[in-house]
mmCIF file of all heavy atoms in Angstrom:
data_model
loop_
_atom_site.group_PDB
_atom_site.id
_atom_site.type_symbol
_atom_site.label_atom_id
_atom_site.label_comp_id
_atom_site.label_asym_id
_atom_site.label_seq_id
_atom_site.Cartn_x
_atom_site.Cartn_y
_atom_site.Cartn_z
ATOM 1 N N LEU A 1 93.998 88.200 85.432
ATOM 2 C CA LEU A 1 94.240 89.441 86.118
ATOM 3 C C LEU A 1 95.393 89.248 87.131
ATOM 4 O O LEU A 1 95.426 88.223 87.833
ATOM 5 C CB LEU A 1 93.038 89.883 86.960
ATOM 6 C CG LEU A 1 91.853 90.481 86.171
ATOM 7 C CD1 LEU A 1 90.816 90.889 87.190
ATOM 8 C CD2 LEU A 1 92.260 91.648 85.354
ATOM 9 N N ASP A 2 96.340 90.214 87.209
ATOM 10 C CA ASP A 2 97.276 90.103 88.310
ATOM 11 C C ASP A 2 96.609 90.699 89.554
ATOM 12 O O ASP A 2 95.557 91.321 89.464
ATOM 13 C CB ASP A 2 98.614 90.748 87.972
ATOM 14 C CG ASP A 2 98.598 92.237 87.796
ATOM 15 O OD1 ASP A 2 97.731 92.910 88.447
ATOM 16 O OD2 ASP A 2 99.450 92.788 87.083
ATOM 17 N N GLU A 3 97.280 90.539 90.654
ATOM 18 C CA GLU A 3 96.623 90.920 91.920
ATOM 19 C C GLU A 3 96.318 92.420 92.003
ATOM 20 O O GLU A 3 95.251 92.860 92.406
ATOM 21 C CB GLU A 3 97.493 90.516 93.133
ATOM 22 C CG GLU A 3 96.788 90.762 94.434
ATOM 23 C CD GLU A 3 97.461 90.097 95.613
ATOM 24 O OE1 GLU A 3 98.723 90.310 95.758
ATOM 25 O OE2 GLU A 3 96.771 89.481 96.383
ATOM 26 N N ARG A 4 97.286 93.198 91.464
ATOM 27 C CA ARG A 4 97.102 94.676 91.488
ATOM 28 C C ARG A 4 95.861 95.065 90.664
ATOM 29 O O ARG A 4 95.057 95.872 91.111
ATOM 30 C CB ARG A 4 98.334 95.313 90.894
ATOM 31 C CG ARG A 4 98.391 96.793 91.044
ATOM 32 C CD ARG A 4 99.758 97.357 90.794
ATOM 33 N NE ARG A 4 99.805 98.756 91.190
ATOM 34 C CZ ARG A 4 99.373 99.749 90.432
ATOM 35 N NH1 ARG A 4 98.812 99.501 89.263
ATOM 36 N NH2 ARG A 4 99.432 101.005 90.921
ATOM 37 N N GLU A 5 95.740 94.472 89.492
ATOM 38 C CA GLU A 5 94.539 94.764 88.626
ATOM 39 C C GLU A 5 93.270 94.392 89.348
ATOM 40 O O GLU A 5 92.240 95.078 89.263
ATOM 41 C CB GLU A 5 94.670 94.033 87.306
ATOM 42 C CG GLU A 5 95.731 94.563 86.387
ATOM 43 C CD GLU A 5 95.960 93.714 85.157
ATOM 44 O OE1 GLU A 5 95.933 92.456 85.226
ATOM 45 O OE2 GLU A 5 96.162 94.292 84.077
ATOM 46 N N ARG A 6 93.254 93.248 90.052
ATOM 47 C CA ARG A 6 92.045 92.748 90.700
ATOM 48 C C ARG A 6 91.659 93.745 91.795
ATOM 49 O O ARG A 6 90.506 94.027 91.951
ATOM 50 C CB ARG A 6 92.300 91.397 91.359
ATOM 51 C CG ARG A 6 92.053 90.212 90.410
ATOM 52 C CD ARG A 6 92.167 88.895 91.210
ATOM 53 N NE ARG A 6 91.018 88.676 91.999
ATOM 54 C CZ ARG A 6 91.082 88.201 93.266
ATOM 55 N NH1 ARG A 6 92.247 87.841 93.764
ATOM 56 N NH2 ARG A 6 89.965 87.977 93.972
ATOM 57 N N ILE A 7 92.644 94.189 92.566
ATOM 58 C CA ILE A 7 92.367 95.068 93.687
ATOM 59 C C ILE A 7 91.770 96.358 93.124
ATOM 60 O O ILE A 7 90.817 96.905 93.645
ATOM 61 C CB ILE A 7 93.635 95.322 94.517
ATOM 62 C CG1 ILE A 7 94.226 94.020 95.032
ATOM 63 C CG2 ILE A 7 93.345 96.311 95.658
ATOM 64 C CD1 ILE A 7 93.896 93.593 96.376
ATOM 65 N N ILE A 8 92.460 96.942 92.100
ATOM 66 C CA ILE A 8 91.988 98.182 91.505
ATOM 67 C C ILE A 8 90.557 98.019 90.961
ATOM 68 O O ILE A 8 89.726 98.876 91.139
ATOM 69 C CB ILE A 8 92.959 98.662 90.431
ATOM 70 C CG1 ILE A 8 94.315 99.114 91.066
ATOM 71 C CG2 ILE A 8 92.350 99.823 89.604
ATOM 72 C CD1 ILE A 8 95.382 99.440 90.080
ATOM 73 N N ALA A 9 90.305 96.915 90.277
ATOM 74 C CA ALA A 9 88.965 96.680 89.685
ATOM 75 C C ALA A 9 87.951 96.639 90.814
ATOM 76 O O ALA A 9 86.855 97.173 90.684
ATOM 77 C CB ALA A 9 88.979 95.405 88.864
ATOM 78 N N ALA A 10 88.262 95.930 91.891
ATOM 79 C CA ALA A 10 87.346 95.830 92.998
ATOM 80 C C ALA A 10 87.123 97.205 93.628
ATOM 81 O O ALA A 10 85.936 97.537 93.974
ATOM 82 C CB ALA A 10 87.846 94.857 94.033
ATOM 83 N N LEU A 11 88.171 97.955 93.778
ATOM 84 C CA LEU A 11 88.033 99.305 94.376
ATOM 85 C C LEU A 11 87.155 100.165 93.493
ATOM 86 O O LEU A 11 86.293 100.922 94.008
ATOM 87 C CB LEU A 11 89.399 99.939 94.520
ATOM 88 C CG LEU A 11 90.229 99.453 95.740
ATOM 89 C CD1 LEU A 11 91.715 99.833 95.607
ATOM 90 C CD2 LEU A 11 89.660 99.932 97.033
ATOM 91 N N GLU A 12 87.338 100.064 92.212
ATOM 92 C CA GLU A 12 86.530 100.855 91.288
ATOM 93 C C GLU A 12 85.043 100.489 91.416
ATOM 94 O O GLU A 12 84.175 101.334 91.485
ATOM 95 C CB GLU A 12 87.022 100.724 89.831
ATOM 96 C CG GLU A 12 88.275 101.563 89.617
ATOM 97 C CD GLU A 12 88.840 101.394 88.223
ATOM 98 O OE1 GLU A 12 88.445 100.489 87.515
ATOM 99 O OE2 GLU A 12 89.715 102.197 87.858
ATOM 100 N N GLN A 13 84.821 99.193 91.476
ATOM 101 C CA GLN A 13 83.415 98.713 91.612
ATOM 102 C C GLN A 13 82.822 99.128 92.981
ATOM 103 O O GLN A 13 81.623 99.397 93.082
ATOM 104 C CB GLN A 13 83.326 97.164 91.504
ATOM 105 C CG GLN A 13 83.595 96.699 90.093
ATOM 106 C CD GLN A 13 83.489 95.161 89.989
ATOM 107 O OE1 GLN A 13 82.692 94.549 90.720
ATOM 108 N NE2 GLN A 13 84.321 94.606 89.164
ATOM 109 N N ALA A 14 83.640 99.218 93.965
ATOM 110 C CA ALA A 14 83.243 99.570 95.291
ATOM 111 C C ALA A 14 83.226 101.050 95.601
ATOM 112 O O ALA A 14 83.052 101.489 96.723
ATOM 113 C CB ALA A 14 84.090 98.816 96.332
ATOM 114 N N GLY A 15 83.485 101.845 94.541
ATOM 115 C CA GLY A 15 83.513 103.289 94.736
ATOM 116 C C GLY A 15 84.685 103.698 95.629
ATOM 117 O O GLY A 15 84.605 104.714 96.342
ATOM 118 N N TRP A 16 85.767 102.932 95.555
ATOM 119 C CA TRP A 16 87.012 103.229 96.328
ATOM 120 C C TRP A 16 86.820 103.138 97.778
ATOM 121 O O TRP A 16 87.466 103.815 98.548
ATOM 122 C CB TRP A 16 87.632 104.548 95.843
ATOM 123 C CG TRP A 16 88.091 104.412 94.436
ATOM 124 C CD1 TRP A 16 87.309 104.653 93.303
ATOM 125 C CD2 TRP A 16 89.355 103.917 93.945
ATOM 126 N NE1 TRP A 16 88.062 104.303 92.193
ATOM 127 C CE2 TRP A 16 89.284 103.870 92.528
ATOM 128 C CE3 TRP A 16 90.517 103.493 94.578
ATOM 129 C CZ2 TRP A 16 90.385 103.451 91.721
ATOM 130 C CZ3 TRP A 16 91.560 103.069 93.827
ATOM 131 C CH2 TRP A 16 91.509 103.055 92.432
ATOM 132 N N VAL A 17 85.857 102.289 98.202
ATOM 133 C CA VAL A 17 85.669 102.032 99.640
ATOM 134 C C VAL A 17 86.377 100.702 99.888
ATOM 135 O O VAL A 17 85.962 99.657 99.375
ATOM 136 C CB VAL A 17 84.173 101.940 100.012
ATOM 137 C CG1 VAL A 17 84.039 101.583 101.464
ATOM 138 C CG2 VAL A 17 83.476 103.268 99.638
ATOM 139 N N GLN A 18 87.422 100.727 100.684
ATOM 140 C CA GLN A 18 88.264 99.524 100.862
ATOM 141 C C GLN A 18 87.475 98.363 101.481
ATOM 142 O O GLN A 18 87.668 97.222 101.075
ATOM 143 C CB GLN A 18 89.511 99.790 101.665
ATOM 144 C CG GLN A 18 90.527 100.657 100.886
ATOM 145 C CD GLN A 18 91.826 100.751 101.597
ATOM 146 O OE1 GLN A 18 92.156 100.107 102.538
ATOM 147 N NE2 GLN A 18 92.670 101.726 101.142
ATOM 148 N N ALA A 19 86.577 98.706 102.450
ATOM 149 C CA ALA A 19 85.872 97.621 103.086
ATOM 150 C C ALA A 19 84.932 96.913 102.098
ATOM 151 O O ALA A 19 84.780 95.677 102.166
ATOM 152 C CB ALA A 19 85.056 98.168 104.302
ATOM 153 N N LYS A 20 84.300 97.679 101.216
ATOM 154 C CA LYS A 20 83.470 97.081 100.210
ATOM 155 C C LYS A 20 84.230 96.265 99.215
ATOM 156 O O LYS A 20 83.819 95.170 98.837
ATOM 157 C CB LYS A 20 82.723 98.209 99.446
ATOM 158 C CG LYS A 20 81.391 98.589 99.966
ATOM 159 C CD LYS A 20 80.650 99.442 98.908
ATOM 160 C CE LYS A 20 79.529 100.263 99.522
ATOM 161 N NZ LYS A 20 79.006 101.201 98.557
ATOM 162 N N ALA A 21 85.381 96.814 98.808
ATOM 163 C CA ALA A 21 86.246 96.083 97.885
ATOM 164 C C ALA A 21 86.677 94.727 98.476
ATOM 165 O O ALA A 21 86.737 93.718 97.801
ATOM 166 C CB ALA A 21 87.452 96.913 97.492
ATOM 167 N N ALA A 22 86.979 94.790 99.785
ATOM 168 C CA ALA A 22 87.394 93.595 100.491
ATOM 169 C C ALA A 22 86.306 92.482 100.374
ATOM 170 O O ALA A 22 86.620 91.326 100.143
ATOM 171 C CB ALA A 22 87.717 93.899 101.913
ATOM 172 N N ARG A 23 85.028 92.928 100.549
ATOM 173 C CA ARG A 23 83.946 91.952 100.506
ATOM 174 C C ARG A 23 83.875 91.385 99.060
ATOM 175 O O ARG A 23 83.650 90.182 98.888
ATOM 176 C CB ARG A 23 82.609 92.612 100.803
ATOM 177 C CG ARG A 23 82.405 92.679 102.300
ATOM 178 C CD ARG A 23 80.904 92.869 102.664
ATOM 179 N NE ARG A 23 80.310 94.101 102.143
ATOM 180 C CZ ARG A 23 80.490 95.256 102.782
ATOM 181 N NH1 ARG A 23 81.143 95.387 103.896
ATOM 182 N NH2 ARG A 23 79.954 96.374 102.213
ATOM 183 N N LEU A 24 84.045 92.205 98.048
ATOM 184 C CA LEU A 24 84.009 91.723 96.662
ATOM 185 C C LEU A 24 85.106 90.675 96.396
ATOM 186 O O LEU A 24 84.937 89.797 95.607
ATOM 187 C CB LEU A 24 84.218 92.876 95.655
ATOM 188 C CG LEU A 24 83.030 93.897 95.572
ATOM 189 C CD1 LEU A 24 83.460 95.037 94.690
ATOM 190 C CD2 LEU A 24 81.772 93.253 95.022
ATOM 191 N N LEU A 25 86.238 90.853 97.074
ATOM 192 C CA LEU A 25 87.391 89.966 96.845
ATOM 193 C C LEU A 25 87.436 88.787 97.884
ATOM 194 O O LEU A 25 88.350 88.010 97.839
ATOM 195 C CB LEU A 25 88.670 90.774 96.932
ATOM 196 C CG LEU A 25 88.843 91.882 95.908
ATOM 197 C CD1 LEU A 25 89.944 92.814 96.297
ATOM 198 C CD2 LEU A 25 89.153 91.265 94.553
ATOM 199 N N ASN A 26 86.468 88.767 98.785
ATOM 200 C CA ASN A 26 86.487 87.813 99.867
ATOM 201 C C ASN A 26 87.796 87.937 100.662
ATOM 202 O O ASN A 26 88.459 86.947 100.984
ATOM 203 C CB ASN A 26 86.326 86.336 99.352
ATOM 204 C CG ASN A 26 84.957 86.161 98.780
ATOM 205 O OD1 ASN A 26 83.949 86.566 99.367
ATOM 206 N ND2 ASN A 26 84.913 85.525 97.635
ATOM 207 N N MET A 27 88.189 89.174 100.952
ATOM 208 C CA MET A 27 89.336 89.465 101.752
ATOM 209 C C MET A 27 88.909 90.307 102.889
ATOM 210 O O MET A 27 87.782 90.817 102.945
ATOM 211 C CB MET A 27 90.357 90.230 100.909
ATOM 212 C CG MET A 27 91.016 89.393 99.791
ATOM 213 S SD MET A 27 91.804 90.414 98.528
ATOM 214 C CE MET A 27 93.279 90.847 99.393
ATOM 215 N N THR A 28 89.800 90.509 103.886
ATOM 216 C CA THR A 28 89.512 91.375 104.961
ATOM 217 C C THR A 28 89.941 92.796 104.548
ATOM 218 O O THR A 28 90.855 92.957 103.677
ATOM 219 C CB THR A 28 90.321 91.006 106.263
ATOM 220 O OG1 THR A 28 91.652 91.218 105.997
ATOM 221 C CG2 THR A 28 90.048 89.583 106.618
ATOM 222 N N PRO A 29 89.327 93.830 105.140
ATOM 223 C CA PRO A 29 89.754 95.232 104.806
ATOM 224 C C PRO A 29 91.244 95.437 105.058
ATOM 225 O O PRO A 29 91.916 96.141 104.327
ATOM 226 C CB PRO A 29 88.871 96.105 105.707
ATOM 227 C CG PRO A 29 87.676 95.274 105.939
ATOM 228 C CD PRO A 29 88.162 93.817 105.966
ATOM 229 N N ARG A 30 91.762 94.767 106.076
ATOM 230 C CA ARG A 30 93.239 94.867 106.345
ATOM 231 C C ARG A 30 94.076 94.374 105.195
ATOM 232 O O ARG A 30 95.089 94.913 104.853
ATOM 233 C CB ARG A 30 93.546 94.080 107.621
ATOM 234 C CG ARG A 30 93.484 94.858 108.876
ATOM 235 C CD ARG A 30 94.084 94.031 109.996
ATOM 236 N NE ARG A 30 95.541 94.078 109.936
ATOM 237 C CZ ARG A 30 96.309 94.587 110.826
ATOM 238 N NH1 ARG A 30 95.783 95.145 111.904
ATOM 239 N NH2 ARG A 30 97.610 94.647 110.743
ATOM 240 N N GLN A 31 93.624 93.225 104.635
ATOM 241 C CA GLN A 31 94.382 92.605 103.544
ATOM 242 C C GLN A 31 94.373 93.589 102.295
ATOM 243 O O GLN A 31 95.401 93.777 101.644
ATOM 244 C CB GLN A 31 93.781 91.302 103.097
ATOM 245 C CG GLN A 31 94.006 90.152 104.091
ATOM 246 C CD GLN A 31 93.240 88.921 103.715
ATOM 247 O OE1 GLN A 31 92.031 88.939 103.486
ATOM 248 N NE2 GLN A 31 93.931 87.804 103.623
ATOM 249 N N VAL A 32 93.237 94.213 102.089
ATOM 250 C CA VAL A 32 93.140 95.125 100.952
ATOM 251 C C VAL A 32 93.985 96.328 101.260
ATOM 252 O O VAL A 32 94.770 96.790 100.369
ATOM 253 C CB VAL A 32 91.626 95.557 100.725
ATOM 254 C CG1 VAL A 32 91.556 96.714 99.717
ATOM 255 C CG2 VAL A 32 90.834 94.361 100.208
ATOM 256 N N ALA A 33 93.877 96.884 102.436
ATOM 257 C CA ALA A 33 94.691 98.091 102.781
ATOM 258 C C ALA A 33 96.235 97.749 102.637
ATOM 259 O O ALA A 33 96.996 98.567 102.163
ATOM 260 C CB ALA A 33 94.417 98.538 104.222
ATOM 261 N N TYR A 34 96.613 96.552 103.074
ATOM 262 C CA TYR A 34 97.997 96.186 102.949
ATOM 263 C C TYR A 34 98.450 96.134 101.498
ATOM 264 O O TYR A 34 99.521 96.561 101.121
ATOM 265 C CB TYR A 34 98.179 94.765 103.616
ATOM 266 C CG TYR A 34 99.603 94.262 103.489
ATOM 267 C CD1 TYR A 34 100.636 94.764 104.260
ATOM 268 C CD2 TYR A 34 99.895 93.244 102.609
ATOM 269 C CE1 TYR A 34 101.919 94.244 104.190
ATOM 270 C CE2 TYR A 34 101.210 92.738 102.467
ATOM 271 C CZ TYR A 34 102.196 93.233 103.240
ATOM 272 O OH TYR A 34 103.518 92.755 103.115
ATOM 273 N N ARG A 35 97.589 95.532 100.660
ATOM 274 C CA ARG A 35 97.962 95.436 99.209
ATOM 275 C C ARG A 35 97.938 96.786 98.554
ATOM 276 O O ARG A 35 98.777 97.060 97.646
ATOM 277 C CB ARG A 35 97.027 94.447 98.519
ATOM 278 C CG ARG A 35 97.427 92.983 98.814
ATOM 279 C CD ARG A 35 96.332 92.058 98.452
ATOM 280 N NE ARG A 35 96.760 90.689 98.689
ATOM 281 C CZ ARG A 35 96.762 90.079 99.873
ATOM 282 N NH1 ARG A 35 96.420 90.807 100.991
ATOM 283 N NH2 ARG A 35 97.131 88.852 100.025
ATOM 284 N N VAL A 36 97.041 97.680 98.966
ATOM 285 C CA VAL A 36 97.041 99.049 98.364
ATOM 286 C C VAL A 36 98.394 99.663 98.671
ATOM 287 O O VAL A 36 98.996 100.281 97.820
ATOM 288 C CB VAL A 36 95.892 99.882 98.976
ATOM 289 C CG1 VAL A 36 96.074 101.368 98.722
ATOM 290 C CG2 VAL A 36 94.549 99.448 98.419
ATOM 291 N N GLN A 37 98.895 99.443 99.876
ATOM 292 C CA GLN A 37 100.230 100.014 100.216
ATOM 293 C C GLN A 37 101.341 99.287 99.432
ATOM 294 O O GLN A 37 102.154 99.921 98.809
ATOM 295 C CB GLN A 37 100.539 99.769 101.691
ATOM 296 C CG GLN A 37 100.066 100.932 102.558
ATOM 297 C CD GLN A 37 100.642 100.809 103.951
ATOM 298 O OE1 GLN A 37 100.716 99.672 104.550
ATOM 299 N NE2 GLN A 37 101.072 101.856 104.570
ATOM 300 N N THR A 38 101.420 97.962 99.498
ATOM 301 C CA THR A 38 102.534 97.216 98.955
ATOM 302 C C THR A 38 102.528 97.284 97.443
ATOM 303 O O THR A 38 103.593 97.241 96.795
ATOM 304 C CB THR A 38 102.545 95.759 99.425
ATOM 305 O OG1 THR A 38 101.317 95.160 99.072
ATOM 306 C CG2 THR A 38 102.794 95.669 100.930
ATOM 307 N N LEU A 39 101.414 97.345 96.793
ATOM 308 C CA LEU A 39 101.274 97.368 95.355
ATOM 309 C C LEU A 39 101.284 98.812 94.813
ATOM 310 O O LEU A 39 101.153 99.014 93.645
ATOM 311 C CB LEU A 39 100.055 96.602 94.879
ATOM 312 C CG LEU A 39 100.008 95.115 95.261
ATOM 313 C CD1 LEU A 39 98.650 94.546 94.986
ATOM 314 C CD2 LEU A 39 101.108 94.327 94.525
ATOM 315 N N ASN A 40 101.413 99.768 95.756
ATOM 316 C CA ASN A 40 101.489 101.149 95.362
ATOM 317 C C ASN A 40 100.309 101.605 94.544
ATOM 318 O O ASN A 40 100.462 102.168 93.459
ATOM 319 C CB ASN A 40 102.809 101.443 94.624
ATOM 320 C CG ASN A 40 103.106 102.939 94.581
ATOM 321 O OD1 ASN A 40 102.625 103.689 95.380
ATOM 322 N ND2 ASN A 40 103.907 103.324 93.579
ATOM 323 N N ILE A 41 99.096 101.310 95.021
ATOM 324 C CA ILE A 41 97.876 101.715 94.351
ATOM 325 C C ILE A 41 97.465 103.073 94.853
ATOM 326 O O ILE A 41 97.372 103.338 96.073
ATOM 327 C CB ILE A 41 96.694 100.707 94.623
ATOM 328 C CG1 ILE A 41 97.109 99.328 93.988
ATOM 329 C CG2 ILE A 41 95.428 101.203 94.086
ATOM 330 C CD1 ILE A 41 96.240 98.180 94.403
ATOM 331 N N LYS A 42 97.274 103.983 93.923
ATOM 332 C CA LYS A 42 96.865 105.341 94.331
ATOM 333 C C LYS A 42 95.355 105.327 94.567
ATOM 334 O O LYS A 42 94.581 105.057 93.651
ATOM 335 C CB LYS A 42 97.196 106.334 93.235
ATOM 336 C CG LYS A 42 98.693 106.353 92.844
ATOM 337 C CD LYS A 42 99.252 107.745 92.956
ATOM 338 C CE LYS A 42 100.715 107.757 92.566
ATOM 339 N NZ LYS A 42 101.561 106.640 92.978
ATOM 340 N N MET A 43 94.918 105.643 95.750
ATOM 341 C CA MET A 43 93.485 105.673 96.072
ATOM 342 C C MET A 43 92.869 106.890 95.448
ATOM 343 O O MET A 43 93.326 108.011 95.605
ATOM 344 C CB MET A 43 93.257 105.705 97.580
ATOM 345 C CG MET A 43 93.581 104.437 98.311
ATOM 346 S SD MET A 43 92.586 103.029 97.710
ATOM 347 C CE MET A 43 90.983 103.507 98.393
ATOM 348 N N ARG A 44 91.804 106.690 94.672
ATOM 349 C CA ARG A 44 91.072 107.798 94.037
ATOM 350 C C ARG A 44 90.033 108.248 95.016
ATOM 351 O O ARG A 44 89.314 107.461 95.642
ATOM 352 C CB ARG A 44 90.407 107.229 92.779
ATOM 353 C CG ARG A 44 90.770 108.116 91.577
ATOM 354 C CD ARG A 44 90.212 107.434 90.374
ATOM 355 N NE ARG A 44 91.217 106.549 89.760
ATOM 356 C CZ ARG A 44 90.998 105.656 88.824
ATOM 357 N NH1 ARG A 44 89.724 105.445 88.410
ATOM 358 N NH2 ARG A 44 91.937 104.954 88.326
#
């Protein structure tokens, strides 16, 4: 998986809650929010 796919997959599993996705990825919510921005992920 590339990083973008991983973040999207985690967001989908977390119901598009960034804090939950961050826990799934062992990242901080800030890191997830940053990648959503930089990787141009459209939040559902």
Side-chain angles (χ1 to χ4, degrees):
L1 285 184
D2 68 27
E3 186 167 49
R4 188 168 192 278
E5 290 173 317
R6 273 187 75 221
I7 305 262
I8 291 172
L11 283 164
E12 285 177 345
Q13 288 180 37
W16 293 88
V17 177
Q18 288 188 15
K20 268 194 198 170
R23 277 200 298 277
L24 291 173
L25 295 165
N26 293 317
M27 290 162 78
T28 67
R30 269 189 78 114
Q31 288 173 308
V32 170
Y34 177 75
R35 282 165 178 77
V36 165
Q37 269 193 320
T38 56
L39 299 169
N40 196 24
I41 295 169
K42 303 234 182 323
M43 287 300 291
R44 235 172 266 166

